Amino acid sequence: MIDSLFSVGLYIVPFLVILTVIVFVHEMGHYLVARWNGIAVDAFSIGFGPELIGRTDRRGTRWKLSAIPLGGYVRFTGDLNAASVPDPDAAARYSGEEAKALFVNKSVWRRIAVVAAGPAANVLFTFLVLYALLLGYGRMTLDPTIDEVLPGSVAEMAGLAAGDRIVEVDGFTIRGFEDFQRLVATAPQRPVDVTVERGGAEMAFIVVPEAVETTDRFGNTHTIGRIGVSRGVDEDEVVLYRPGPVEAVAMTFEEISFIIDRTVAFLGDFFVGRGDLDQLGGP
């Protein structure tokens, strides 16, 4: 029983920490752009429900940590509730400079900027984190050359062969075999464009990874794509690649592009009958 509770705790605590960081960055985006546009803010809350701790700043904004750590909100002056539903009677209660500071009285472009600032802040934060990790730690990589193609596999039927060096997959540059594995794994039953170098020339193939179920250490089942190729791992071949500051920018944009591309493709699967609701999870 204790072991089970401990295992659940190991999953829930990191989940809540990550979710709190994501929510804080997201809401801070809304808050900062609202302030830059002269919009009055009543509250900035991490979590919902009763307030646990908080303080009010000199501008009248209440900064607080609430009891239910499953989200957060920025409440603008004149909002009916934490979901930013406008109060239809708010305009009558405010006049002069106060009325000018209401969210509902700002131009449509300023309101769009405030709404878009939340997701934009998350993307910017993601960029900074990934960029810092690349510069600080680099990445372990293995030459993206196929050692073996399993007989009767998707890869063999598509025409891939041992010795092929993977150059590009779905428009993404391949720097290591792990890039190739990840792109294939995140595309079960979806056509994947693969460009390889063979005999000094580049060749293009289309493969459709078969869907394979795997189980993680928490007992969750995931569906991933596999095409039936392998790469031997020799310790001498694994190298630490450290990009320069400029190259790291391009690599970070590629990583964000990959996240967005695969997320959109995953959600798109639900519209063509390939989606599995059991695969949805995480912050």
Side-chain angles (χ1 to χ4, degrees), residues 29-137:
H30 291 312
Y31 173 81
L32 290 176
V33 175
R35 281 301 190 192
W36 292 337
N37 283 282
I39 298 171
V41 179
D42 284 345
F44 185 112
S45 177
I46 297 300
F48 297 102
E51 177 182 322
L52 299 178
I53 56 173
R55 60 176 289 273
T56 302
D57 65 20
R58 59 185 178 82
R59 293 176 172 175
T61 300
R62 183 69 178 174
W63 297 77
K64 56 186 179 179
L65 182 65
S66 300
I68 306 173
L70 295 175
Y73 60 89
V74 171
R75 182 170 182 172
F76 303 119
T77 301
D79 283 350
L80 193 60
N81 52 38
S84 291
V85 175
D87 183 351
D89 301 322
R93 296 199 304 270
Y94 298 93
S95 61
E97 293 300 317
E98 289 183 326
K100 292 180 181 179
L102 296 180
F103 177 78
V104 294
N105 288 339
K106 294 297 181 179
S107 70
V108 65
W109 294 112
R110 291 178 184 272
R111 283 180 282 158
I112 288 174
V114 172
V115 172
N122 286 130
V123 172
L124 177 60
F125 180 70
T126 301
F127 177 89
L128 294 175
V129 170
L130 295 176
Y131 184 73
L133 288 174
L134 274 173
L135 286 184
Y137 297 97

Side-chain angles (χ1 to χ4, degrees), residues 10-270:
L10 285 178
Y11 180 80
I12 292 178
V13 173
F15 172 87
L16 292 178
V17 170
I18 294 172
L19 182 62
T20 298
V21 172
I22 292 173
V23 168
F24 176 80
V25 171
H26 182 92
E27 298 302 333
M28 183 58 72
H30 291 312
Y31 173 81
L32 290 176
V33 175
R35 281 301 190 192
W36 292 337
N37 283 282
I39 298 171
V41 179
D42 284 345
F44 185 112
S45 177
I46 297 300
F48 297 102
E51 177 182 322
L52 299 178
I53 56 173
R55 60 176 289 273
T56 302
D57 65 20
R58 59 185 178 82
R59 293 176 172 175
T61 300
R62 183 69 178 174
W63 297 77
K64 56 186 179 179
L65 182 65
S66 300
I68 306 173
L70 295 175
Y73 60 89
V74 171
R75 182 170 182 172
F76 303 119
T77 301
D79 283 350
L80 193 60
N81 52 38
S84 291
V85 175
D87 183 351
D89 301 322
R93 296 199 304 270
Y94 298 93
S95 61
E97 293 300 317
E98 289 183 326
K100 292 180 181 179
L102 296 180
F103 177 78
V104 294
N105 288 339
K106 294 297 181 179
S107 70
V108 65
W109 294 112
R110 291 178 184 272
R111 283 180 282 158
I112 288 174
V114 172
V115 172
N122 286 130
V123 172
L124 177 60
F125 180 70
T126 301
F127 177 89
L128 294 175
V129 170
L130 295 176
Y131 184 73
L133 288 174
L134 274 173
L135 286 184
Y137 297 97
R139 57 184 290 189
M140 304 302 294
T141 189
L142 185 67
D143 185 70
T145 300
I146 298 173
D147 277 348
E148 181 184 7
V149 175
L150 300 181
S153 65
V154 170
E156 183 184 57
M157 289 186 286
L160 295 175
D164 286 346
R165 189 176 190 279
I166 312 300
V167 175
E168 190 176 87
V169 174
D170 278 350
F172 292 96
T173 300
I174 302 300
R175 293 182 173 84
F177 196 75
E178 67 284 351
D179 291 335
F180 177 53
Q181 290 178 308
R182 183 174 59 162
L183 285 158
V184 168
T186 54
Q189 296 182 311
R190 290 198 297 269
V192 174
D193 295 318
V194 179
T195 301
V196 306
E197 184 180 296
R198 179 188 297 176
E202 289 192 355
M203 304 178 65
F205 301 89
I206 297 178
V207 297
V208 181
E210 61 179 338
V212 178
E213 288 192 350
T214 62
T215 303
D216 63 22
R217 61 195 181 98
F218 298 108
N220 300 314
T221 300
H222 303 281
T223 300
I224 64 172
R226 284 184 182 168
I227 63 172
V229 300
S230 64
R231 173 73 163 87
V233 180
D234 190 323
E235 291 185 4
D236 295 335
E237 294 180 306
V238 179
V239 297
L240 176 62
Y241 183 73
R242 288 184 177 276
V246 176
E247 184 182 9
V249 170
M251 292 177 65
T252 302
F253 275 119
E254 287 179 5
E255 182 67 17
I256 292 176
S257 176
F258 165 79
I259 293 170
I260 294 173
D261 176 84
R262 285 313 194 234
T263 300
V264 171
F266 173 77
L267 295 176
D269 282 347
F270 290 101

